[in-house]
Amino acid sequence: MMPADLETDSARLREAMTRALAKDGVLTDPAWKQAVAEVPRHRFVPGFYLPTDEPDGQGLTVWEPVTAGLDYDRWLAAAYSDSTLITQFDSDEPDWRQPATRHGGAPTSSSTLPSLVLRMWSDADLQEGHTVLEIGTGTGYSTALACERLGSGRVTSVEVDGRRLETAAGALHECGYTPTLAVADGLYGYWPEAHFDRIVAACSFRAVPRALLAQAREGGKILVTLSGWLHGYARVLLTTAGDGIAEGRLLSGTVSFMSARTHTAPAFGNPAHWAAGLPDEFRVARHGPERITEATEEAFRLRFLAQCAVPDAQMTTVGGVVHLADVVTGSAATLTPHEGVWQVREGGRVRLWERVEHVLDAYDAAGRPEPETFTLRADEDGQCLRHPRMPDLPLPRL
């Protein structure tokens, strides 16, 4: 049972969150500020997981369930914090009446931190009178903000997980919001409500889905996060010109979203099996893997560019050795540290690390350009990332 003073407590914390977001420069638009002040986020997160400080004996993150029944103060404070709240792992819907601690697992649904939700809506240039398609309803909180800003009749939101959508729909309707909701794969948009002024994806794709290009009005905008199997990310805001043609620049920052479930990386097997088929000969790498793996903003950007060069490759490190494997072509590579250098062994149709090095060479020669200097063009011939001082980088055809 909820405490009698829940509404008072939540209103106080919601007001504090609104003030904090405004102070941080997130809420510059009065209409969005009003939306944040009105939408009760706690209604959309009856339960979620928070990580403990220490991993378990196997090195896995320990995730503790948080609900009002378990710890009211912690639950409500987290609900009105500017943080992402994980609500599901491995597509396994929790029973929040009797939640259990989790060890490891892949997050598959969450309530995105409010500042990022607002940044997405702002970056998409969402204005009064627009119709919008949101891909990835999740908990429904971001949907509620859009409804508060535009009116429910102008908002369509799709979610691939029917159980997630059922929970979100209940929370939305209890709060008085009635957007168009549907269980659907965002890869295909939602034709029954097309065409849209804005399309915003709260998940990431390996390339911009062609259905989205067709479902935006001419002159409409599509905001998506691009990702891939190397876990490289880039956000792009495209403006459509009709006939499946769209163009736009990459956006700044280091934002990442969960992959659309149909675009998640496949299991690739045992790295030792891939390495066993490589030739004994090696060469010294021109660039080490740290160029794309370090915890820096530049490495974050470079990982996406490298991923464009080897879109079907995956990477893992075992015992200090970096393994790359491509399940599509059967190609593989290893990078082994030895006396201050990296020794590269490669095999298969695609020389994976050699391709990555060519991109890194071009990036350095171009003066290490910022993301905003890259343009993505999508047309009937495919999708290509362009820069005036670098070779074109095609995105995978899906």
Side-chain angles (χ1 to χ4, degrees), residues 4-355:
D5 55 356
L6 172 60
E7 294 308 314
T8 301
D9 291 342
S10 63
R12 171 176 53 81
L13 290 172
R14 187 161 62 252
E15 181 181 357
M17 184 179 76
T18 304
R19 287 198 307 268
L21 292 172
K23 182 179 179 180
D24 291 341
V26 176
L27 288 174
T28 57
D29 184 330
W32 283 117
K33 184 176 181 180
Q34 180 64 26
V36 174
E38 291 292 333
V39 177
R41 191 186 187 203
H42 69 278
R43 297 278 192 91
F44 297 90
V45 285
F48 46 84
Y49 294 97
L50 293 178
T52 60
D53 293 333
E54 298 293 334
D56 65 12
Q58 295 180 311
L60 300 175
T61 301
V62 179
W63 296 90
E64 291 182 340
V66 180
T67 66
L70 291 172
D71 189 332
Y72 171 77
D73 290 336
R74 188 186 188 195
W75 167 73
L76 197 58
Y80 288 102
S81 66
D82 189 30
S83 56
T84 293
L85 305 174
I86 306 299
T87 55
Q88 186 192 78
F89 287 90
D90 303 317
S91 304
D92 181 20
E93 190 68 15
D95 180 357
W96 292 116
R97 295 168 300 181
Q98 295 180 311
T101 298
R102 292 196 63 108
H103 293 250
T108 47
S109 190
S110 67
S111 178
T112 302
L113 67 161
S115 62
L116 179 52
V117 171
L118 292 162
R119 180 179 174 183
M120 293 287 287
W121 289 134
S122 176
D123 285 343
D125 190 26
L126 197 62
Q127 301 290 336
E128 185 175 353
H130 283 164
T131 57
V132 61
L133 169 64
E134 177 190 41
I135 296 172
T137 312
T139 65
Y141 176 67
S142 61
T143 317
L145 290 174
C147 289
E148 189 69 38
R149 175 71 174 83
L150 300 176
S152 296
R154 294 186 173 276
V155 179
T156 298
S157 186
V158 297
E159 169 63 49
V160 72
D161 188 325
R163 295 169 300 175
R164 284 277 81 214
L165 187 67
E166 183 179 0
T167 301
L172 285 162
H173 292 165
E174 286 177 5
C175 292
Y177 303 116
T178 56
T180 298
L181 301 173
V183 177
D185 188 334
L187 179 64
Y188 305 102
Y190 198 61
W191 278 108
E193 296 294 314
H195 292 79
F196 303 97
D197 296 303
R198 298 290 185 268
I199 298 177
V200 178
C203 60
S204 62
F205 298 102
R206 297 182 68 204
V208 183
R210 286 179 292 176
L212 303 190
L213 298 171
Q215 290 176 30
R217 297 186 192 280
E218 186 173 345
K221 296 183 179 181
I222 303 171
L223 179 64
V224 298
T225 300
L226 300 171
S227 67
W229 297 347
L230 285 184
H231 304 295
Y233 296 89
R235 289 193 311 144
V236 63
L237 180 64
L238 297 167
T239 300
T240 58
D243 297 326
I245 299 173
E247 193 167 8
R249 294 192 179 277
L250 299 189
L251 303 182
S252 61
T254 55
V255 174
S256 60
F257 277 98
M258 298 175 192
S259 295
R261 295 190 185 182
T262 47
H263 281 197
T264 55
F268 66 88
N270 188 332
H273 296 166
W274 290 88
L278 295 176
D280 294 333
E281 297 79 14
F282 66 85
R283 65 177 178 85
V284 175
R286 298 194 306 278
H287 300 278
E290 66 276 1
R291 288 292 307 271
I292 64 173
T293 59
E294 286 181 333
T296 65
E297 187 168 339
E298 183 180 61
F300 183 94
R301 301 196 303 261
L302 276 177
R303 193 155 55 250
F304 177 74
L305 298 181
Q307 182 177 270
C308 292
V310 287
D312 300 317
Q314 298 179 64
M315 184 167 59
T316 189
T317 302
V318 181
V321 178
V322 177
H323 296 256
L324 287 93
D326 182 331
V327 298
V328 176
T329 66
S331 305
T334 61
L335 289 92
T336 304
H338 181 73
E339 297 181 352
V341 300
W342 289 90
Q343 296 179 342
V344 183
R345 297 165 59 213
E346 296 178 286
R349 183 160 58 86
V350 178
R351 295 297 185 261
L352 298 175
W353 194 248
E354 184 175 328
R355 282 199 180 181

